[in-house]
Amino acid sequence: QVQLIESGGGSVQAGGSLRLSCAVSGYTYSRYACMGWFRQAPGEEREVVASIKAGSDSTHYADSVRGRFIVSRDKDNNTLYLQMNNLKPEDTAMYYCAADRTVTTWLAGCRDKTFAYWGQGTQVTVSS
C-alpha cells in the first residue's frame, strides 16, 4: 500500500522560505516513476508545481515558481522535498505530494494531474 505523508507547511511572510517534506512508503522509484508536488488554492484547479522524472531525474517547474522552488529526492530515505524560497502571497495553497509509475504519465513529462498516489496535503499560507 502506497502512502505519502506531507509535512512542513505553515504560515510565513512574503519573502520567507519553507521546506516541504513527503515521506513515501510502499512505492518504488523505478522505471516510469514520477514524483511531484501539486498545489490547489481555493476556487482554483490543482496545478503541478514541480516534479521529478525517473530515468534522467530531470525536473520540471511551473513558470510561476521556477527560480524560487527546488524539488529534490532523498533516495536513501525515500523522501521528496520542496524547498520554497522568496515566497509570495500567490503561493498560498494546499500543497500535495504525488507519485506515479505509469508510462503515460511518464511520457507526458510527469506534469499532468493523473498521478495515481496522493498525500493528504499540507497548507502553505504566505502573508504580504
Side-chain angles (χ1 to χ4, degrees), residues 42-59:
E44 302 289 333
E45 289 192 1
R46 189 171 297 187
E47 61 175 358
V48 63
V49 175
S51 63
I52 293 179
K53 181 179 181 181
S56 59
D57 271 2
S58 60
T59 55

Side-chain angles (χ1 to χ4, degrees), residues 19 84 118:
R19 188 175 82 154
M84 305 186 295
W118 294 85

Side-chain angles (χ1 to χ4, degrees), residues 26-77:
Y27 173 84
T28 301
Y29 187 81
S30 58
R31 189 179 185 186
Y32 301 134
C34 293
M35 297 187 74
W37 291 94
F38 291 75
R39 68 186 181 187
Q40 187 168 19
E44 302 289 333
E45 289 192 1
R46 189 171 297 187
E47 61 175 358
V48 63
V49 175
S51 63
I52 293 179
K53 181 179 181 181
S56 59
D57 271 2
S58 60
T59 55
H60 164 74
Y61 294 93
D63 289 342
S64 59
V65 307
R66 187 174 293 114
R68 300 187 297 123
F69 291 10
I70 300 172
V71 61
S72 61
R73 186 178 69 92
D74 183 337
K75 61 181 180 180
D76 293 331
N77 293 318

